[in-house]
Amino acid sequence: MDIGFIGLGNMGLPMARRLIEAGHQLVVFDTRKEVVDKLVARGATAATSPKDVADKVETVMASLPSLQASLEVATGANGVIEGSRVRRFIDLSTVGSAMAAKIHGLLAKRDIVQIDCPVSGGVGGAEKGTLAVMVSGPKAEFELLKPALDVIGKVFFIGEKPGAAQTMKLANNFLSATAIVATSEAVVMGVKAGLDPAVMIDVINAGSGMNTASRDKFPRSVLPRTFDFGFATGLMVKDVRLALEEMKQLGLSMEVADAVGRLWETVIAAEGAGSDFTAAIKPIEKKAGVIVGGKT
């Protein structure tokens, strides 16, 4: 397929690279020339704006860091909506169901189909092509795009309702956000009581407490204290806030979610939006007066 790809960040760049390696012809745009040049060297064509991308191809993908960025790229001045060839816009970003529905409605006025397509699995998953790819939109469009989406991960059709895939993504990321802070509190408890954190993680992973934080994040980024898993605290907090908004709109009980949300607000205040989200353990350690993986 001829595919446009906008947003070549930590997730977008490896996804775009995999599409090129699979034989797709890419037209790419990012505000940073150096990342565009990396893909041009692999055979991609550079574009000068989102509109320029949408003038050149019928299918445009975007991987962007914020709700506002997705809205502007899709529907703003010089955006995808102004393109002369584009027929479908695939948003790989996490924007929440309300924003996805808004973009869908605006693009529909120009006969452009919006495909909601958030992904999960981090930078490692993007590089290996093992992401969970959640899709909502017209079933016929999904079938057309599935061979390309298969290149970046395991594809799941969530439904035709605009924003349905966003709801699925927020449920997933709420659990991920909960796992890292809950595991941090559990391990800090053990260290405070004199337990070895490495042994704790081994036991948890052999028992019923095993989760994605204990299995992946702690061994790789927390215990070595590298805090380099590849997902920013600011992005995780964005996702948690979106999940809380959606739960509230649905009238749900939010006891656990509210507590998780408060913890992440503490983390972003203490560590900053640019920190790795595995640094969530640091404010918990500080309050307890211990360091996991180091000396008290």
PDB file of all heavy atoms in Angstrom, residues 54-95:
ATOM      1  N   ALA A  54      -1.498  14.102   2.810  1.00  0.00           N
ATOM      2  CA  ALA A  54      -2.852  13.749   2.384  1.00  0.00           C
ATOM      3  C   ALA A  54      -3.128  14.109   0.927  1.00  0.00           C
ATOM      4  O   ALA A  54      -4.123  13.656   0.351  1.00  0.00           O
ATOM      5  CB  ALA A  54      -3.878  14.419   3.299  1.00  0.00           C
ATOM      6  N   ASP A  55      -2.268  14.911   0.329  1.00  0.00           N
ATOM      7  CA  ASP A  55      -2.351  15.175  -1.117  1.00  0.00           C
ATOM      8  C   ASP A  55      -1.750  14.033  -1.928  1.00  0.00           C
ATOM      9  O   ASP A  55      -2.065  13.858  -3.102  1.00  0.00           O
ATOM     10  CB  ASP A  55      -1.589  16.468  -1.472  1.00  0.00           C
ATOM     11  CG  ASP A  55      -2.377  17.730  -1.149  1.00  0.00           C
ATOM     12  OD1 ASP A  55      -3.625  17.661  -1.075  1.00  0.00           O
ATOM     13  OD2 ASP A  55      -1.735  18.776  -0.962  1.00  0.00           O
ATOM     14  N   LYS A  56      -0.882  13.247  -1.287  1.00  0.00           N
ATOM     15  CA  LYS A  56      -0.097  12.242  -2.003  1.00  0.00           C
ATOM     16  C   LYS A  56      -0.642  10.822  -1.894  1.00  0.00           C
ATOM     17  O   LYS A  56      -0.377   9.977  -2.749  1.00  0.00           O
ATOM     18  CB  LYS A  56       1.353  12.260  -1.504  1.00  0.00           C
ATOM     19  CG  LYS A  56       2.147  13.508  -1.914  1.00  0.00           C
ATOM     20  CD  LYS A  56       3.565  13.447  -1.344  1.00  0.00           C
ATOM     21  CE  LYS A  56       4.491  14.450  -2.015  1.00  0.00           C
ATOM     22  NZ  LYS A  56       4.142  15.847  -1.736  1.00  0.00           N
ATOM     23  N   VAL A  57      -1.379  10.521  -0.806  1.00  0.00           N
ATOM     24  CA  VAL A  57      -1.838   9.147  -0.571  1.00  0.00           C
ATOM     25  C   VAL A  57      -3.294   9.121  -0.099  1.00  0.00           C
ATOM     26  O   VAL A  57      -3.804  10.114   0.431  1.00  0.00           O
ATOM     27  CB  VAL A  57      -0.959   8.431   0.479  1.00  0.00           C
ATOM     28  CG1 VAL A  57       0.459   8.243  -0.027  1.00  0.00           C
ATOM     29  CG2 VAL A  57      -0.962   9.185   1.799  1.00  0.00           C
ATOM     30  N   GLU A  58      -3.930   7.962  -0.253  1.00  0.00           N
ATOM     31  CA  GLU A  58      -5.317   7.800   0.203  1.00  0.00           C
ATOM     32  C   GLU A  58      -5.398   7.396   1.675  1.00  0.00           C
ATOM     33  O   GLU A  58      -6.399   7.652   2.332  1.00  0.00           O
ATOM     34  CB  GLU A  58      -6.019   6.735  -0.647  1.00  0.00           C
ATOM     35  CG  GLU A  58      -6.223   7.138  -2.102  1.00  0.00           C
ATOM     36  CD  GLU A  58      -7.012   6.097  -2.876  1.00  0.00           C
ATOM     37  OE1 GLU A  58      -7.240   4.987  -2.336  1.00  0.00           O
ATOM     38  OE2 GLU A  58      -7.413   6.389  -4.022  1.00  0.00           O
ATOM     39  N   THR A  59      -4.345   6.750   2.175  1.00  0.00           N
ATOM     40  CA  THR A  59      -4.342   6.215   3.535  1.00  0.00           C
ATOM     41  C   THR A  59      -3.284   6.922   4.368  1.00  0.00           C
ATOM     42  O   THR A  59      -2.094   6.871   4.040  1.00  0.00           O
ATOM     43  CB  THR A  59      -4.053   4.701   3.518  1.00  0.00           C
ATOM     44  OG1 THR A  59      -5.058   4.052   2.733  1.00  0.00           O
ATOM     45  CG2 THR A  59      -4.060   4.126   4.924  1.00  0.00           C
ATOM     46  N   VAL A  60      -3.706   7.604   5.439  1.00  0.00           N
ATOM     47  CA  VAL A  60      -2.785   8.356   6.288  1.00  0.00           C
ATOM     48  C   VAL A  60      -2.862   7.827   7.717  1.00  0.00           C
ATOM     49  O   VAL A  60      -3.936   7.741   8.303  1.00  0.00           O
ATOM     50  CB  VAL A  60      -3.112   9.863   6.284  1.00  0.00           C
ATOM     51  CG1 VAL A  60      -2.156  10.624   7.216  1.00  0.00           C
ATOM     52  CG2 VAL A  60      -3.036  10.435   4.874  1.00  0.00           C
ATOM     53  N   MET A  61      -1.698   7.470   8.266  1.00  0.00           N
ATOM     54  CA  MET A  61      -1.586   7.066   9.662  1.00  0.00           C
ATOM     55  C   MET A  61      -0.921   8.188  10.452  1.00  0.00           C
ATOM     56  O   MET A  61      -0.113   8.943   9.908  1.00  0.00           O
ATOM     57  CB  MET A  61      -0.751   5.790   9.796  1.00  0.00           C
ATOM     58  CG  MET A  61      -1.342   4.573   9.135  1.00  0.00           C
ATOM     59  SD  MET A  61      -0.305   3.113   9.440  1.00  0.00           S
ATOM     60  CE  MET A  61      -1.299   1.850   8.616  1.00  0.00           C
ATOM     61  N   ALA A  62      -1.246   8.281  11.747  1.00  0.00           N
ATOM     62  CA  ALA A  62      -0.611   9.280  12.602  1.00  0.00           C
ATOM     63  C   ALA A  62      -0.376   8.700  13.986  1.00  0.00           C
ATOM     64  O   ALA A  62      -1.221   7.991  14.527  1.00  0.00           O
ATOM     65  CB  ALA A  62      -1.474  10.537  12.704  1.00  0.00           C
ATOM     66  N   SER A  63       0.794   9.004  14.544  1.00  0.00           N
ATOM     67  CA  SER A  63       1.137   8.600  15.904  1.00  0.00           C
ATOM     68  C   SER A  63       1.615   9.846  16.634  1.00  0.00           C
ATOM     69  O   SER A  63       2.748  10.296  16.443  1.00  0.00           O
ATOM     70  CB  SER A  63       2.242   7.529  15.881  1.00  0.00           C
ATOM     71  OG  SER A  63       2.613   7.165  17.198  1.00  0.00           O
ATOM     72  N   LEU A  64       0.735  10.404  17.476  1.00  0.00           N
ATOM     73  CA  LEU A  64       0.978  11.737  18.044  1.00  0.00           C
ATOM     74  C   LEU A  64       0.840  11.732  19.561  1.00  0.00           C
ATOM     75  O   LEU A  64       0.152  10.884  20.128  1.00  0.00           O
ATOM     76  CB  LEU A  64      -0.004  12.729  17.402  1.00  0.00           C
ATOM     77  CG  LEU A  64       0.124  12.811  15.868  1.00  0.00           C
ATOM     78  CD1 LEU A  64      -1.115  13.409  15.241  1.00  0.00           C
ATOM     79  CD2 LEU A  64       1.368  13.624  15.492  1.00  0.00           C
ATOM     80  N   PRO A  65       1.492  12.699  20.240  1.00  0.00           N
ATOM     81  CA  PRO A  65       1.598  12.633  21.703  1.00  0.00           C
ATOM     82  C   PRO A  65       0.453  13.231  22.508  1.00  0.00           C
ATOM     83  O   PRO A  65       0.398  13.043  23.718  1.00  0.00           O
ATOM     84  CB  PRO A  65       2.886  13.416  21.971  1.00  0.00           C
ATOM     85  CG  PRO A  65       2.930  14.432  20.871  1.00  0.00           C
ATOM     86  CD  PRO A  65       2.353  13.749  19.671  1.00  0.00           C
ATOM     87  N   SER A  66      -0.455  13.977  21.865  1.00  0.00           N
ATOM     88  CA  SER A  66      -1.494  14.653  22.638  1.00  0.00           C
ATOM     89  C   SER A  66      -2.803  14.738  21.872  1.00  0.00           C
ATOM     90  O   SER A  66      -2.831  14.574  20.643  1.00  0.00           O
ATOM     91  CB  SER A  66      -1.047  16.066  23.017  1.00  0.00           C
ATOM     92  OG  SER A  66      -1.017  16.902  21.862  1.00  0.00           O
ATOM     93  N   LEU A  67      -3.886  15.014  22.592  1.00  0.00           N
ATOM     94  CA  LEU A  67      -5.190  15.183  21.969  1.00  0.00           C
ATOM     95  C   LEU A  67      -5.166  16.346  20.994  1.00  0.00           C
ATOM     96  O   LEU A  67      -5.676  16.237  19.868  1.00  0.00           O
ATOM     97  CB  LEU A  67      -6.265  15.424  23.030  1.00  0.00           C
ATOM     98  CG  LEU A  67      -6.774  14.233  23.841  1.00  0.00           C
ATOM     99  CD1 LEU A  67      -5.727  13.703  24.811  1.00  0.00           C
ATOM    100  CD2 LEU A  67      -8.044  14.610  24.608  1.00  0.00           C
ATOM    101  N   GLN A  68      -4.568  17.456  21.421  1.00  0.00           N
ATOM    102  CA  GLN A  68      -4.537  18.641  20.574  1.00  0.00           C
ATOM    103  C   GLN A  68      -3.753  18.391  19.301  1.00  0.00           C
ATOM    104  O   GLN A  68      -4.139  18.855  18.217  1.00  0.00           O
ATOM    105  CB  GLN A  68      -3.944  19.829  21.339  1.00  0.00           C
ATOM    106  CG  GLN A  68      -4.150  21.177  20.652  1.00  0.00           C
ATOM    107  CD  GLN A  68      -5.622  21.538  20.462  1.00  0.00           C
ATOM    108  OE1 GLN A  68      -6.476  21.154  21.261  1.00  0.00           O
ATOM    109  NE2 GLN A  68      -5.920  22.245  19.384  1.00  0.00           N
ATOM    110  N   ALA A  69      -2.645  17.655  19.413  1.00  0.00           N
ATOM    111  CA  ALA A  69      -1.844  17.350  18.223  1.00  0.00           C
ATOM    112  C   ALA A  69      -2.645  16.511  17.229  1.00  0.00           C
ATOM    113  O   ALA A  69      -2.621  16.771  16.018  1.00  0.00           O
ATOM    114  CB  ALA A  69      -0.561  16.621  18.618  1.00  0.00           C
ATOM    115  N   SER A  70      -3.378  15.522  17.714  1.00  0.00           N
ATOM    116  CA  SER A  70      -4.198  14.696  16.822  1.00  0.00           C
ATOM    117  C   SER A  70      -5.276  15.528  16.138  1.00  0.00           C
ATOM    118  O   SER A  70      -5.510  15.396  14.937  1.00  0.00           O
ATOM    119  CB  SER A  70      -4.849  13.544  17.599  1.00  0.00           C
ATOM    120  OG  SER A  70      -3.914  12.531  17.882  1.00  0.00           O
ATOM    121  N   LEU A  71      -5.930  16.394  16.914  1.00  0.00           N
ATOM    122  CA  LEU A  71      -6.997  17.226  16.357  1.00  0.00           C
ATOM    123  C   LEU A  71      -6.443  18.170  15.291  1.00  0.00           C
ATOM    124  O   LEU A  71      -7.033  18.312  14.207  1.00  0.00           O
ATOM    125  CB  LEU A  71      -7.668  18.026  17.477  1.00  0.00           C
ATOM    126  CG  LEU A  71      -8.828  18.928  17.069  1.00  0.00           C
ATOM    127  CD1 LEU A  71      -9.991  18.110  16.511  1.00  0.00           C
ATOM    128  CD2 LEU A  71      -9.296  19.775  18.260  1.00  0.00           C
ATOM    129  N   GLU A  72      -5.312  18.803  15.573  1.00  0.00           N
ATOM    130  CA  GLU A  72      -4.738  19.763  14.631  1.00  0.00           C
ATOM    131  C   GLU A  72      -4.224  19.082  13.369  1.00  0.00           C
ATOM    132  O   GLU A  72      -4.434  19.571  12.253  1.00  0.00           O
ATOM    133  CB  GLU A  72      -3.619  20.556  15.318  1.00  0.00           C
ATOM    134  CG  GLU A  72      -4.139  21.550  16.349  1.00  0.00           C
ATOM    135  CD  GLU A  72      -3.019  22.319  17.033  1.00  0.00           C
ATOM    136  OE1 GLU A  72      -1.845  22.133  16.654  1.00  0.00           O
ATOM    137  OE2 GLU A  72      -3.329  23.100  17.944  1.00  0.00           O
ATOM    138  N   VAL A  73      -3.540  17.956  13.543  1.00  0.00           N
ATOM    139  CA  VAL A  73      -3.019  17.235  12.372  1.00  0.00           C
ATOM    140  C   VAL A  73      -4.159  16.738  11.497  1.00  0.00           C
ATOM    141  O   VAL A  73      -4.105  16.811  10.269  1.00  0.00           O
ATOM    142  CB  VAL A  73      -2.110  16.073  12.818  1.00  0.00           C
ATOM    143  CG1 VAL A  73      -1.908  15.071  11.687  1.00  0.00           C
ATOM    144  CG2 VAL A  73      -0.764  16.602  13.305  1.00  0.00           C
ATOM    145  N   ALA A  74      -5.215  16.249  12.140  1.00  0.00           N
ATOM    146  CA  ALA A  74      -6.338  15.696  11.375  1.00  0.00           C
ATOM    147  C   ALA A  74      -7.209  16.775  10.745  1.00  0.00           C
ATOM    148  O   ALA A  74      -7.576  16.676   9.572  1.00  0.00           O
ATOM    149  CB  ALA A  74      -7.195  14.807  12.270  1.00  0.00           C
ATOM    150  N   THR A  75      -7.528  17.824  11.513  1.00  0.00           N
ATOM    151  CA  THR A  75      -8.589  18.739  11.076  1.00  0.00           C
ATOM    152  C   THR A  75      -8.189  20.213  11.054  1.00  0.00           C
ATOM    153  O   THR A  75      -9.005  21.062  10.699  1.00  0.00           O
ATOM    154  CB  THR A  75      -9.821  18.593  11.997  1.00  0.00           C
ATOM    155  OG1 THR A  75      -9.491  19.061  13.314  1.00  0.00           O
ATOM    156  CG2 THR A  75     -10.268  17.138  12.086  1.00  0.00           C
ATOM    157  N   GLY A  76      -6.954  20.535  11.426  1.00  0.00           N
ATOM    158  CA  GLY A  76      -6.540  21.926  11.498  1.00  0.00           C
ATOM    159  C   GLY A  76      -6.106  22.490  10.151  1.00  0.00           C
ATOM    160  O   GLY A  76      -6.162  21.819   9.114  1.00  0.00           O
ATOM    161  N   ALA A  77      -5.670  23.745  10.188  1.00  0.00           N
ATOM    162  CA  ALA A  77      -5.156  24.385   8.978  1.00  0.00           C
ATOM    163  C   ALA A  77      -3.938  23.617   8.478  1.00  0.00           C
ATOM    164  O   ALA A  77      -3.061  23.256   9.264  1.00  0.00           O
ATOM    165  CB  ALA A  77      -4.771  25.830   9.296  1.00  0.00           C
ATOM    166  N   ASN A  78      -3.921  23.353   7.184  1.00  0.00           N
ATOM    167  CA  ASN A  78      -2.842  22.581   6.566  1.00  0.00           C
ATOM    168  C   ASN A  78      -2.812  21.147   7.085  1.00  0.00           C
ATOM    169  O   ASN A  78      -1.769  20.494   7.058  1.00  0.00           O
ATOM    170  CB  ASN A  78      -1.476  23.258   6.794  1.00  0.00           C
ATOM    171  CG  ASN A  78      -0.603  23.213   5.549  1.00  0.00           C
ATOM    172  OD1 ASN A  78      -1.096  23.108   4.424  1.00  0.00           O
ATOM    173  ND2 ASN A  78       0.699  23.291   5.734  1.00  0.00           N
ATOM    174  N   GLY A  79      -3.960  20.675   7.574  1.00  0.00           N
ATOM    175  CA  GLY A  79      -4.057  19.332   8.118  1.00  0.00           C
ATOM    176  C   GLY A  79      -4.514  18.317   7.090  1.00  0.00           C
ATOM    177  O   GLY A  79      -4.748  18.624   5.919  1.00  0.00           O
ATOM    178  N   VAL A  80      -4.670  17.091   7.558  1.00  0.00           N
ATOM    179  CA  VAL A  80      -5.075  15.982   6.691  1.00  0.00           C
ATOM    180  C   VAL A  80      -6.408  16.274   6.003  1.00  0.00           C
ATOM    181  O   VAL A  80      -6.613  15.939   4.836  1.00  0.00           O
ATOM    182  CB  VAL A  80      -5.155  14.676   7.513  1.00  0.00           C
ATOM    183  CG1 VAL A  80      -5.808  13.555   6.706  1.00  0.00           C
ATOM    184  CG2 VAL A  80      -3.763  14.255   7.976  1.00  0.00           C
ATOM    185  N   ILE A  81      -7.311  16.939   6.711  1.00  0.00           N
ATOM    186  CA  ILE A  81      -8.648  17.218   6.186  1.00  0.00           C
ATOM    187  C   ILE A  81      -8.605  18.031   4.893  1.00  0.00           C
ATOM    188  O   ILE A  81      -9.535  17.975   4.073  1.00  0.00           O
ATOM    189  CB  ILE A  81      -9.494  17.951   7.258  1.00  0.00           C
ATOM    190  CG1 ILE A  81     -10.979  17.893   6.911  1.00  0.00           C
ATOM    191  CG2 ILE A  81      -9.024  19.389   7.460  1.00  0.00           C
ATOM    192  CD1 ILE A  81     -11.890  18.340   8.046  1.00  0.00           C
ATOM    193  N   GLU A  82      -7.529  18.764   4.665  1.00  0.00           N
ATOM    194  CA  GLU A  82      -7.402  19.602   3.467  1.00  0.00           C
ATOM    195  C   GLU A  82      -6.744  18.869   2.293  1.00  0.00           C
ATOM    196  O   GLU A  82      -6.609  19.430   1.207  1.00  0.00           O
ATOM    197  CB  GLU A  82      -6.610  20.871   3.799  1.00  0.00           C
ATOM    198  CG  GLU A  82      -7.324  21.774   4.803  1.00  0.00           C
ATOM    199  CD  GLU A  82      -6.562  23.054   5.079  1.00  0.00           C
ATOM    200  OE1 GLU A  82      -5.432  23.209   4.572  1.00  0.00           O
ATOM    201  OE2 GLU A  82      -7.096  23.905   5.814  1.00  0.00           O
ATOM    202  N   GLY A  83      -6.351  17.621   2.502  1.00  0.00           N
ATOM    203  CA  GLY A  83      -5.688  16.860   1.441  1.00  0.00           C
ATOM    204  C   GLY A  83      -6.615  16.519   0.291  1.00  0.00           C
ATOM    205  O   GLY A  83      -7.818  16.317   0.488  1.00  0.00           O
ATOM    206  N   SER A  84      -6.070  16.415  -0.903  1.00  0.00           N
ATOM    207  CA  SER A  84      -6.880  16.173  -2.096  1.00  0.00           C
ATOM    208  C   SER A  84      -7.081  14.683  -2.409  1.00  0.00           C
ATOM    209  O   SER A  84      -8.025  14.333  -3.118  1.00  0.00           O
ATOM    210  CB  SER A  84      -6.230  16.850  -3.309  1.00  0.00           C
ATOM    211  OG  SER A  84      -4.906  16.373  -3.508  1.00  0.00           O
ATOM    212  N   ARG A  85      -6.213  13.809  -1.868  1.00  0.00           N
ATOM    213  CA  ARG A  85      -6.312  12.375  -2.187  1.00  0.00           C
ATOM    214  C   ARG A  85      -6.810  11.526  -1.021  1.00  0.00           C
ATOM    215  O   ARG A  85      -7.344  10.441  -1.228  1.00  0.00           O
ATOM    216  CB  ARG A  85      -4.948  11.824  -2.629  1.00  0.00           C
ATOM    217  CG  ARG A  85      -4.538  12.202  -4.048  1.00  0.00           C
ATOM    218  CD  ARG A  85      -3.416  11.290  -4.542  1.00  0.00           C
ATOM    219  NE  ARG A  85      -3.845   9.912  -4.655  1.00  0.00           N
ATOM    220  CZ  ARG A  85      -2.998   8.873  -4.785  1.00  0.00           C
ATOM    221  NH1 ARG A  85      -1.693   9.073  -4.785  1.00  0.00           N
ATOM    222  NH2 ARG A  85      -3.452   7.645  -4.897  1.00  0.00           N
ATOM    223  N   VAL A  86      -6.619  11.999   0.181  1.00  0.00           N
ATOM    224  CA  VAL A  86      -6.867  11.170   1.359  1.00  0.00           C
ATOM    225  C   VAL A  86      -8.313  10.666   1.412  1.00  0.00           C
ATOM    226  O   VAL A  86      -9.255  11.406   1.133  1.00  0.00           O
ATOM    227  CB  VAL A  86      -6.511  11.942   2.649  1.00  0.00           C
ATOM    228  CG1 VAL A  86      -7.400  13.178   2.823  1.00  0.00           C
ATOM    229  CG2 VAL A  86      -6.595  11.038   3.865  1.00  0.00           C
ATOM    230  N   ARG A  87      -8.441   9.395   1.783  1.00  0.00           N
ATOM    231  CA  ARG A  87      -9.766   8.779   1.941  1.00  0.00           C
ATOM    232  C   ARG A  87      -9.981   8.238   3.349  1.00  0.00           C
ATOM    233  O   ARG A  87     -11.106   8.036   3.781  1.00  0.00           O
ATOM    234  CB  ARG A  87      -9.943   7.644   0.932  1.00  0.00           C
ATOM    235  CG  ARG A  87      -9.983   8.131  -0.512  1.00  0.00           C
ATOM    236  CD  ARG A  87     -10.182   7.000  -1.495  1.00  0.00           C
ATOM    237  NE  ARG A  87     -11.438   6.297  -1.266  1.00  0.00           N
ATOM    238  CZ  ARG A  87     -11.824   5.216  -1.947  1.00  0.00           C
ATOM    239  NH1 ARG A  87     -11.049   4.722  -2.903  1.00  0.00           N
ATOM    240  NH2 ARG A  87     -12.978   4.644  -1.684  1.00  0.00           N
ATOM    241  N   ARG A  88      -8.873   7.979   4.046  1.00  0.00           N
ATOM    242  CA  ARG A  88      -9.002   7.430   5.401  1.00  0.00           C
ATOM    243  C   ARG A  88      -7.856   7.914   6.284  1.00  0.00           C
ATOM    244  O   ARG A  88      -6.721   8.059   5.832  1.00  0.00           O
ATOM    245  CB  ARG A  88      -9.046   5.899   5.368  1.00  0.00           C
ATOM    246  CG  ARG A  88      -7.846   5.238   4.770  1.00  0.00           C
ATOM    247  CD  ARG A  88      -8.078   3.761   4.487  1.00  0.00           C
ATOM    248  NE  ARG A  88      -9.090   3.550   3.460  1.00  0.00           N
ATOM    249  CZ  ARG A  88      -8.825   3.566   2.149  1.00  0.00           C
ATOM    250  NH1 ARG A  88      -7.587   3.790   1.710  1.00  0.00           N
ATOM    251  NH2 ARG A  88      -9.790   3.359   1.282  1.00  0.00           N
ATOM    252  N   PHE A  89      -8.178   8.176   7.561  1.00  0.00           N
ATOM    253  CA  PHE A  89      -7.209   8.645   8.543  1.00  0.00           C
ATOM    254  C   PHE A  89      -7.170   7.649   9.694  1.00  0.00           C
ATOM    255  O   PHE A  89      -8.176   7.425  10.360  1.00  0.00           O
ATOM    256  CB  PHE A  89      -7.603  10.032   9.049  1.00  0.00           C
ATOM    257  CG  PHE A  89      -6.711  10.571  10.137  1.00  0.00           C
ATOM    258  CD1 PHE A  89      -5.423  10.965   9.858  1.00  0.00           C
ATOM    259  CD2 PHE A  89      -7.183  10.691  11.441  1.00  0.00           C
ATOM    260  CE1 PHE A  89      -4.596  11.465  10.866  1.00  0.00           C
ATOM    261  CE2 PHE A  89      -6.372  11.202  12.451  1.00  0.00           C
ATOM    262  CZ  PHE A  89      -5.075  11.594  12.155  1.00  0.00           C
ATOM    263  N   ILE A  90      -6.018   7.043   9.912  1.00  0.00           N
ATOM    264  CA  ILE A  90      -5.850   6.036  10.960  1.00  0.00           C
ATOM    265  C   ILE A  90      -5.068   6.664  12.099  1.00  0.00           C
ATOM    266  O   ILE A  90      -3.878   6.954  11.953  1.00  0.00           O
ATOM    267  CB  ILE A  90      -5.114   4.780  10.436  1.00  0.00           C
ATOM    268  CG1 ILE A  90      -5.886   4.167   9.278  1.00  0.00           C
ATOM    269  CG2 ILE A  90      -4.929   3.757  11.542  1.00  0.00           C
ATOM    270  CD1 ILE A  90      -5.362   4.552   7.930  1.00  0.00           C
ATOM    271  N   ASP A  91      -5.726   6.884  13.237  1.00  0.00           N
ATOM    272  CA  ASP A  91      -5.076   7.527  14.375  1.00  0.00           C
ATOM    273  C   ASP A  91      -4.576   6.468  15.347  1.00  0.00           C
ATOM    274  O   ASP A  91      -5.359   5.791  16.007  1.00  0.00           O
ATOM    275  CB  ASP A  91      -6.043   8.486  15.074  1.00  0.00           C
ATOM    276  CG  ASP A  91      -5.323   9.462  15.996  1.00  0.00           C
ATOM    277  OD1 ASP A  91      -4.098   9.296  16.183  1.00  0.00           O
ATOM    278  OD2 ASP A  91      -5.965  10.396  16.504  1.00  0.00           O
ATOM    279  N   LEU A  92      -3.250   6.329  15.422  1.00  0.00           N
ATOM    280  CA  LEU A  92      -2.613   5.351  16.298  1.00  0.00           C
ATOM    281  C   LEU A  92      -2.406   5.903  17.711  1.00  0.00           C
ATOM    282  O   LEU A  92      -1.898   5.209  18.582  1.00  0.00           O
ATOM    283  CB  LEU A  92      -1.252   4.943  15.713  1.00  0.00           C
ATOM    284  CG  LEU A  92      -1.309   4.319  14.311  1.00  0.00           C
ATOM    285  CD1 LEU A  92       0.020   4.478  13.600  1.00  0.00           C
ATOM    286  CD2 LEU A  92      -1.691   2.855  14.390  1.00  0.00           C
ATOM    287  N   SER A  93      -2.805   7.157  17.924  1.00  0.00           N
ATOM    288  CA  SER A  93      -2.583   7.848  19.196  1.00  0.00           C
ATOM    289  C   SER A  93      -3.663   7.460  20.211  1.00  0.00           C
ATOM    290  O   SER A  93      -4.695   6.890  19.873  1.00  0.00           O
ATOM    291  CB  SER A  93      -2.629   9.358  18.964  1.00  0.00           C
ATOM    292  OG  SER A  93      -2.009   9.721  17.750  1.00  0.00           O
ATOM    293  N   THR A  94      -3.406   7.805  21.472  1.00  0.00           N
ATOM    294  CA  THR A  94      -4.405   7.632  22.527  1.00  0.00           C
ATOM    295  C   THR A  94      -5.014   8.995  22.822  1.00  0.00           C
ATOM    296  O   THR A  94      -4.341   9.872  23.365  1.00  0.00           O
ATOM    297  CB  THR A  94      -3.775   7.038  23.793  1.00  0.00           C
ATOM    298  OG1 THR A  94      -3.141   5.802  23.474  1.00  0.00           O
ATOM    299  CG2 THR A  94      -4.835   6.794  24.864  1.00  0.00           C
ATOM    300  N   VAL A  95      -6.270   9.176  22.434  1.00  0.00           N
ATOM    301  CA  VAL A  95      -6.916  10.487  22.567  1.00  0.00           C
ATOM    302  C   VAL A  95      -8.227  10.433  23.349  1.00  0.00           C
ATOM    303  O   VAL A  95      -8.824  11.475  23.625  1.00  0.00           O
ATOM    304  CB  VAL A  95      -7.173  11.108  21.170  1.00  0.00           C
ATOM    305  CG1 VAL A  95      -5.866  11.345  20.438  1.00  0.00           C
ATOM    306  CG2 VAL A  95      -8.123  10.244  20.339  1.00  0.00           C
TER     307      VAL A  95
END
